[in-house]
Amino acid sequence: MKIILLQDEKKLGRKGDIVNVSDGYARNYILPKKIGVEATPNNMNDLKLQKAYEEKLAKEQLDEAKALAAELENKSVTVKIKAGEGGRAFGSVSTKEIAAAYKEQHGIEIDKKKIQLSESLKSFGTFEVMVKLHPQVSGKLTVKVSES
């Protein structure tokens, strides 16, 4: 019996896969636990439509990420930190502070987990910070660290 999997199953396959299983296994395990449905023409069409919708969503997310990456290239964010003795920075700038400052200055929210610091920003100056917006798209954000 052909089955369309509705969720990932360890020994059968991933969600959306069409697998061939014995009739008893399908009737007694897969169908009652709603792990999969029988591969009827109607269900096959639903699967095809669902995959097309998911591809469309993925493309839209990729386009949005590319647009945001282009916008990040043109803008910079200024973060102010305290200065210690001799004009040295007191502490360092975190990704949380960068995300909050960007939202405050430009009105666009960036997830702090997507900001990647190669090293901690412990001095004053201008730095390039990578922002991973999508698995395929990264953008550069200019961060200016100044004395408050």
Side-chain angles (χ1 to χ4, degrees), residues 49-65 134:
L49 292 173
Q50 185 179 7
K51 283 188 177 183
Y53 176 72
E54 288 172 358
E55 287 176 11
K56 180 184 168 199
L57 272 178
K59 186 178 183 318
E60 287 175 358
Q61 288 174 346
L62 179 63
D63 292 342
E64 287 175 11
H134 189 271

Side-chain angles (χ1 to χ4, degrees), residues 34-50:
K34 300 204 185 325
I35 295 171
V37 293
E38 192 173 349
T40 62
N42 192 20
N43 289 339
M44 296 287 280
N45 191 33
D46 289 346
L47 176 67
K48 188 169 129 183
L49 292 173
Q50 185 179 7

Side-chain angles (χ1 to χ4, degrees), residues 100-111:
Y102 193 81
K103 182 174 182 183
E104 180 184 307
Q105 294 171 18
H106 300 290
I108 299 171
E109 192 167 334
I110 298 175
D111 187 8

Side-chain angles (χ1 to χ4, degrees), residues 54-80:
E54 288 172 358
E55 287 176 11
K56 180 184 168 199
L57 272 178
K59 186 178 183 318
E60 287 175 358
Q61 288 174 346
L62 179 63
D63 292 342
E64 287 175 11
K66 285 181 181 178
L68 185 58
E71 192 174 319
L72 287 177
E73 299 280 335
N74 301 331
K75 295 184 180 178
S76 65
V77 64
T78 304
V79 179
K80 296 184 178 187

Side-chain angles (χ1 to χ4, degrees), residues 4 8 14 17 32 44 55 58 64 71 77 82 86 114 116 124 126 134:
I4 300 171
D8 292 352
R14 300 188 146 272
D17 287 351
M44 296 287 280
E55 287 176 11
E64 287 175 11
E71 192 174 319
V77 64
K82 292 181 182 178
K114 295 182 179 184
Q116 299 173 332
F124 300 115
T126 305
H134 189 271

Side-chain angles (χ1 to χ4, degrees), residues 8-11 45 52 76 79 98 107 118 123 128 136 145:
D8 292 352
E9 185 64 24
K10 200 172 196 176
K11 296 182 181 182
N45 191 33
S76 65
V79 179
I98 294 171
S118 55
S123 60
E128 292 283 323
Q136 300 169 354
V145 180

